[in-house]
Amino acid sequence: MWGVSQSHLNEQIKKITGKTVGTLIREAQFSEAKRLLVNTELNVTEIAENMRFQDTAYFCRAFKRQVGMSPSQYRAKCRENKVSQ
């Protein structure tokens, strides 16, 4: 069986996308979190649990670092934009 080392895979993905595998995974993870915030009535704790975060506070910090605003702010902004459209 042919295998690819983790570091080789990461190097190749970075050459193609300009991003590491970890960055791509985080982007996908928070894209899903954003979808849940906009399209469901789940609260932030439920979304954090759904995204496999054991600590809601850590989820909120990571979300803010990735997106630029807290999950609650993101939900409110998206809902405000939907109403004004």
Side-chain angles (χ1 to χ4, degrees), residues 39-58:
N39 297 312
T40 71
E41 293 301 320
L42 296 172
N43 65 42
V44 174
T45 299
E46 292 169 323
I47 292 171
E49 289 170 356
N50 190 298
M51 303 308 301
R52 305 283 193 244
F53 282 82
Q54 293 180 355
D55 181 12
T56 302
Y58 180 73

Side-chain angles (χ1 to χ4, degrees), residues 1-55:
M1 174 174 251
W2 296 89
V4 176
S5 73
Q6 189 174 2
S7 61
H8 181 70
L9 176 63
N10 202 39
E11 287 173 20
Q12 296 305 308
I13 295 294
K14 192 168 183 176
K15 278 183 191 175
I16 295 167
T17 67
K19 299 175 183 180
T20 66
V21 173
T23 298
L24 292 172
I25 290 169
R26 278 187 297 281
E27 286 176 356
Q29 186 177 35
F30 286 105
S31 178
E32 176 64 6
K34 290 191 296 187
R35 188 190 68 75
L36 291 171
L37 285 163
V38 173
N39 297 312
T40 71
E41 293 301 320
L42 296 172
N43 65 42
V44 174
T45 299
E46 292 169 323
I47 292 171
E49 289 170 356
N50 190 298
M51 303 308 301
R52 305 283 193 244
F53 282 82
Q54 293 180 355
D55 181 12

Side-chain angles (χ1 to χ4, degrees), residues 52-79:
R52 305 283 193 244
F53 282 82
Q54 293 180 355
D55 181 12
T56 302
Y58 180 73
F59 168 75
C60 290
R61 285 191 308 274
F63 187 94
K64 188 170 186 173
R65 189 171 43 249
Q66 184 77 23
V67 178
M69 63 184 80
S70 73
S72 298
Q73 290 169 327
Y74 181 82
R75 175 177 269 167
K77 181 179 178 189
C78 289
R79 289 185 176 173

